[in-house]
Amino acid sequence: MHSWPVFLLQLLLVHGLPQADNAAPVRLLYEYPVGTWIENIAVRSNGDLLLTVLNVPHLDQLSPYKANATPETIHSFPNALSVFGIAEIAPDVFAMAVGNFTLTGGVQPGSFSIWSVSFTMHDTMEAHKIADPPQATFLNGLCSLPGIGSPKDFLVGDIKQGLIYYVDTSTGDYGVAINNNFTAAVSDPVFGTAGVNGMHVHDGDLFFTNTGQALFAKMHIHTNGTPAGEPTIVARVLNSSMEFDDFAIKDNDAYLVTGSGNSIERIGLEGTSKGRIVAGSLNSTQFAEPTSCAFGRTEADRHILYVVTAGGLATPVDGDVTVGAQVLAVDTRLWLS
Ligand SMILES: *[C@@H]1O[C@H](CO)[C@@H](O)[C@H](O)[C@H]1NC(C)=O
Ligand SMILES: *[C@@H]1O[C@H](CO)[C@@H](O)[C@H](O)[C@H]1NC(C)=O
Ligand SMILES: *[C@@H]1O[C@H](CO)[C@@H](O)[C@H](O)[C@H]1NC(C)=O
Ligand SMILES: *[C@@H]1O[C@H](CO)[C@@H](O)[C@H](O)[C@H]1NC(C)=O
């Protein structure tokens, strides 16, 4: 009876995996009021989503499993207007960049600080400042290093200076770790000047986007974040309607948000194949100016890509449509390969 398994396999190959009737690849978990810009997302090991807000100095938390999930503001940073990149640096401890930016006035160089927020004390959250780098002009992307320390040291990019700082979490010391042609800032129609933006370390390589140069690059690094090779380009944007911002990595693919492209692009990390748009489209508000994305971390949602948006505040959809910032759950199993 060995032919049955083969037959079942063929059936699966032809008809795909069984799907629930109401299965939809994209679910809107929450839409904020118009005027809200969610800048970045990190996922806690318990499954909760941490969202950094750009138009107010808030760190919000959203539990994606609850029906009618509503975000809760769990911290408001003093003496600041905005929160940017966020990354986990120890189990349930997150570092984030905080500073002043407004859509009308732009960025205030010198207003930046780096904070950590810890959930390890029996669910009472503790926030403390790690560093106050006065020479930083616009800290944006942030990623932890794979080193052995806990909390781990991390990298934080300056999108306006076009370079990447190394930050020692235990001392608060920092210094320039990476500064090359592909992190460099160039003039950008939306942000004035823009360079290195999203950053993630994967298998000893630092992957990063450069928004102004419209490219996605990688570079081998040492465990302390310093270069261990030359940077190379993985991909450039598919067309000029798109801007690379942050991204997530899973199974040797990167999932990049395209900002003004209102979509998600998937591309192999080797850079040998062309990227393709797997969700959203240029003139749709389904993903209105996505800024960042991250995969779920529990058994139940490892295949879910959570996407956050700026609602088209910097680049309106269709040229003139803005919506509230969105938090979306994308079931990547339901995407066509
Ligand atoms: C950020 O902007 C606010 C409002 O203008 C101001 O009160 C605050 O001092 C600024 N923060 C820094 C670190 O300059
Ligand atoms: C890239 O940077 C190097 C220095 O690291 C410089 O010599 C070279 O001219 C730069 N190339 C371009 C295309 O800007
Ligand atoms: C850019 O690419 C997207 C996705 O493939 C497409 O919908 C759009 O029409 C393209 N825009 C231009 C200007 O080519
Ligand atoms: C789609 O959006 C682009 C960019 O905002 C805009 O220039 C274009 O006119 C829109 N196209 C349509 C068919 O609405």
Side-chain angles (χ1 to χ4, degrees):
M1 302 310 289
H2 62 274
S3 61
W4 271 103
V6 172
F7 169 72
L8 283 174
L9 187 64
Q10 280 167 346
L11 202 68
L12 274 175
L13 288 173
V14 172
H15 295 281
L17 293 167
Q19 294 177 6
D21 277 352
N22 62 352
V26 180
R27 254 180 331 125
L28 178 65
L29 293 179
Y30 187 76
E31 188 165 313
Y32 280 83
V34 174
T36 310
W37 173 320
I38 304 300
E39 173 63 8
N40 217 300
I41 178 171
V43 182
R44 290 181 61 192
S45 52
N46 70 2
D48 287 346
L49 311 181
L50 295 175
L51 314 170
T52 64
V53 191
L54 184 121
N55 58 297
V56 281
H58 289 176
L59 177 65
D60 281 9
Q61 180 166 259
L62 180 76
S63 182
Y65 307 113
K66 295 195 179 133
N68 304 316
T70 307
E72 177 196 356
T73 296
I74 56 171
H75 194 69
S76 184
F77 292 88
N79 205 27
L81 302 176
S82 318
V83 191
F84 303 92
I86 179 169
E88 190 175 42
I89 54 170
D92 240 2
V93 181
F94 294 80
M96 61 212 75
V98 174
N100 280 0
F101 175 87
T102 61
L103 272 169
T104 46
V107 70
Q108 183 192 333
S111 67
F112 283 79
S113 53
I114 298 163
W115 290 70
S116 79
V117 162
S118 166
F119 297 90
T120 56
M121 303 296 281
H122 299 289
D123 259 9
T124 49
M125 197 215 70
E126 282 186 353
H128 93 268
K129 196 188 275 185
I130 298 175
D132 241 337
Q135 68 269 59
T137 63
F138 194 168
L139 298 183
N140 197 312
L142 197 153
C143 70
S144 69
L145 286 164
I148 45 170
S150 186
K152 287 175 184 161
D153 295 342
F154 58 91
L155 298 175
V156 59
D158 189 317
I159 188 172
K160 205 173 164 62
Q161 287 180 317
L163 50 78
I164 298 172
Y165 290 100
Y166 166 88
V167 182
D168 179 327
T169 41
S170 49
T171 61
D173 290 345
Y174 59 89
V176 174
I178 299 170
N179 182 2
N180 62 44
N181 293 335
F182 296 149
T183 61
V186 298
S187 87
D188 177 86
V190 180
F191 299 102
T193 315
V196 60
N197 192 335
M199 313 189 306
H200 296 278
V201 178
H202 178 80
D203 279 351
D205 285 327
L206 173 71
F207 287 82
F208 60 93
T209 60
N210 184 313
T211 301
Q213 295 193 45
L215 58 81
F216 178 46
K218 68 174 170 184
M219 187 177 68
H220 201 52
I221 56 167
H222 297 294
T223 47
N224 68 0
T226 54
E230 290 298 313
T232 57
I233 295 180
V234 179
R236 294 184 185 275
V237 291
L238 289 171
N239 69 41
S240 61
S241 66
M242 301 171 188
E243 289 161 326
F244 283 151
D245 193 335
D246 205 359
F247 58 94
I249 291 177
K250 192 180 184 73
D251 299 336
N252 277 320
D253 282 321
Y255 295 80
L256 297 124
V257 302
T258 68
S260 51
N262 306 312
S263 59
I264 311 295
E265 178 181 336
R266 181 179 60 202
I267 187 158
L269 295 180
E270 294 77 18
T272 48
S273 57
K274 198 166 179 246
R276 64 176 279 186
I277 300 300
V278 285
S281 63
L282 179 60
N283 294 87
S284 160
T285 53
Q286 187 179 34
F287 298 85
E289 201 180 8
T291 49
S292 182
C293 60
F295 277 94
R297 292 177 62 186
T298 72
E299 275 313 313
D301 70 351
R302 267 181 220 293
H303 57 283
I304 299 286
L305 183 67
Y306 295 102
V307 180
V308 292
T309 77
L313 287 180
T315 52
V317 181
D318 259 350
D320 60 3
V321 179
T322 55
V323 299
Q326 303 149 316
V327 187
L328 302 126
V330 185
D331 188 338
T332 57
R333 293 173 312 184
L334 301 179
W335 278 346
L336 302 173
S337 56

